[in-house]
Amino acid sequence: MKKTASQTIRVALAQLNTTVGDLDGNGRLVIEWARRAQAQGADIVSFPELTLTGYPPEDLLLKPQFIDDNLKALRRVAKEVGDIVAVVGFADRTAAGLFNAAALLCGGRVRAVYHKAFLPNYGVFDEKRYFLAGQRFPVYRAGAVCFGVNICEDIWHMDGPAGVQAYRGAQVIVNINASPYHMGKGMLRRQILKRQARKNRVAVLYTNLVGGQDELVFDGSSMIVDAKGDLLGQAASFREELLVADLSLAQRSKKACVVLKEVSPGKPALASPSLKTGTDARQEVYEALVLGLRDYILKNGFKRVVLGLSGGIDSSLVAAIAADSVGKENVLGVMMPSAYTSAASQEDARGLAQQLGIEYQVIAITQVFEKYLEILAQAFQGRPADVAEENLQARIRGNILMALSNKFGYLALNTGNKSEVSCGYCTLYGDMAGGFGVIKDVPKTLVYELARYRNGREGREVIPKRVFEKAPTAELRPGQKDSDSLPEYGILDQVLKQYVEEDRGVAEMVRRGMDAALAQKVVRLVDASEYKRRQAPPGIKITPKAFGKDRRMPLTNRYR
């Protein structure tokens, strides 16, 4: 049997953490990492989607000056890249309009440009607002190896550009991405790449962005898949990395390839790249939250954060994430007890702060609360005490945190979880105050799991044992428990997953075994709280559907 001849090429995937709008800084990263790849003998290096602009640039793309500056940045970078072929994302403008594009740089200039064909317009994506769809799927050559370039969503379509490029002789598909993280996303990506590789008999280089951008966090996890669909190498999650590998490719009939460069022969063979897979699901989510928070803090010019410590599980977890994000020395936790705050809560808040090593202050609100009641006594005359008085305490605490934020330039962290935010079990201008909602997309049951993971990783009770055992409570009245107002969180989170993330109606939930009255109650709470969520701070997306860009409901809405 005749043996098929093979060809070898060295490839590099530059998994970068770019910043939206930092054209010069992103350009410097490209030059630096292209040189690193070239120093390791790579013939091709690929960068994430919209590398130069950062992702997503949103309405910056509507500013003509921004597009001009991004094109100038591309030309500057091209001059510095050298003899390696660098695939760099940018926003291209032609007479027809604007395109999400990949430039192929080599020899000091832009040698070719590819325009993204499939523009996602679902979930957090809004690309049809800005871009036109590309119509051409050329194939390029580096040495004896032919390759195609496409962008993110293009690879998810089995009848998309990869098939056309393979038909035209591509042995490798270079796919550049800005694919946001959510739980389970990695498995979906691997399945798609495996199918594309097998169907088209091509190797796939999947280069993904890493880092936080507002509500989104990008996990990297860049991959190399061979023509059999086997995973050859995978970069780490949630940190920058250069993944370098030698690909041995079967020869294919070549059609019209654009020649970019010749490949230097006789390089010493590389060891097989690492496969950084198998991360514990809780670890994955925790690392996503740490990275998302760190980048939001640092990219927006903050250095320190402040948050309220209640002695409960939510604020304990947020404090731990904050300490891991920017260092314990940059975190201030504030306990703000009232007459209803238990001694146990105060002890647990203080114990947590000591275990984390963060700064801790106590600012009691009892006198302020009493003064509010005195001032409002005439206006409230004849009315029994109710939720209005309870929420005054939360709003006093919010004011104190924002005062500290203003005085010292700290970013105030919100500690509300997805279960509470879904049902409106939170106070506008009170515990909803803050600049960033760290666990805004984390259901309460997952909050407990992440807290257990954090303690287990440390091998000690950083978060006190009692915090896990006591019934959740806002402590705004005597004997108050969350379960007075909400179903038990284990059941509540099941309903919320079906209604918020899967868009199932009450009737369908009942058919699937959910109690009808409970489902109706939760749905009413979610629908009635949309106005609150619209005023909440941004927070990190970690589920398939988060509040905000993922789920956009009208405030004035009579549909039930």
Side-chain angles (χ1 to χ4, degrees), residues 9 15-16 33 52 61-62 91 99 120 138-139 155 244 246 249 313 369 386 408 420 436 492 511 519 536:
I9 191 168
Q15 180 172 289
L16 298 187
W33 287 68
L52 293 180
L61 294 167
L62 302 180
F99 295 88
V139 176
I155 204 73
V244 184
D246 287 332
L249 306 162
I313 194 72
F369 180 45
D386 57 14
F408 300 105
E420 296 169 347
F436 198 64
L492 173 62
R511 286 197 300 271

Side-chain angles (χ1 to χ4, degrees), residues 275-317:
L275 291 171
K276 298 182 177 70
T277 58
T279 303
D280 176 86
R282 296 176 306 168
Q283 177 185 348
E284 187 180 270
V285 174
Y286 192 86
E287 290 182 356
L289 295 170
V290 168
L291 177 59
L293 177 57
R294 179 189 298 130
D295 274 5
Y296 191 84
I297 293 167
L298 299 180
K299 290 180 180 181
N300 283 290
F302 292 98
K303 294 180 180 178
R304 301 196 76 206
V305 299
V306 60
L307 73 153
L309 293 183
S310 67
I313 194 72
D314 297 323
S315 62
S316 297
L317 177 62

Side-chain angles (χ1 to χ4, degrees), residues 381-531:
Q381 189 173 8
R383 302 265 183 170
D386 57 14
V387 70
E389 284 83 359
E390 292 176 22
N391 287 343
L392 275 176
Q393 298 163 78
R395 292 185 171 118
I396 292 166
R397 292 182 174 120
N399 270 324
I400 290 171
L401 289 177
M402 292 313 299
L404 292 169
S405 172
N406 287 164
K407 180 62 71 174
F408 300 105
Y410 301 160
L411 174 66
L413 300 183
N414 176 282
T415 61
N417 63 65
K418 188 172 189 175
S419 307
E420 296 169 347
V421 170
S422 296
C423 296
Y425 191 66
C426 45
T427 304
L428 271 175
Y429 324 119
D431 56 332
M432 290 183 68
F436 198 64
V438 182
I439 57 171
K440 178 182 178 180
D441 195 37
V442 182
K444 185 76 169 190
T445 48
L446 182 55
V447 169
Y448 281 100
E449 288 300 307
L450 294 176
R452 291 189 185 97
Y453 161 76
R454 181 60 174 78
N455 275 3
R457 190 189 76 179
E458 197 85 3
R460 60 190 177 93
E461 286 186 8
V462 176
I463 299 173
K465 181 180 179 182
R466 185 166 51 189
V467 174
F468 294 90
E469 296 173 342
K470 63 190 177 186
T473 173
E475 294 190 320
L476 300 177
R477 65 174 183 266
Q480 183 184 28
K481 295 186 296 184
D482 290 5
S483 57
D484 298 338
S485 303
L486 300 174
E488 294 291 343
Y489 282 113
I491 301 297
L492 173 62
D493 285 352
Q494 293 179 38
V495 180
L496 294 175
K497 181 176 176 59
Q498 292 186 61
Y499 185 58
V500 176
E501 296 181 20
E502 298 172 356
D503 290 313
R504 301 186 192 279
V506 171
E508 186 175 359
M509 284 190 268
V510 171
R511 286 197 300 271
R512 294 164 64 91
M514 191 63 66
D515 177 78
L518 186 148
Q520 289 169 348
K521 175 182 177 179
V522 173
V523 166
R524 282 196 301 270
L525 289 171
V526 173
D527 289 350
S529 303
E530 190 63 36
Y531 78 101

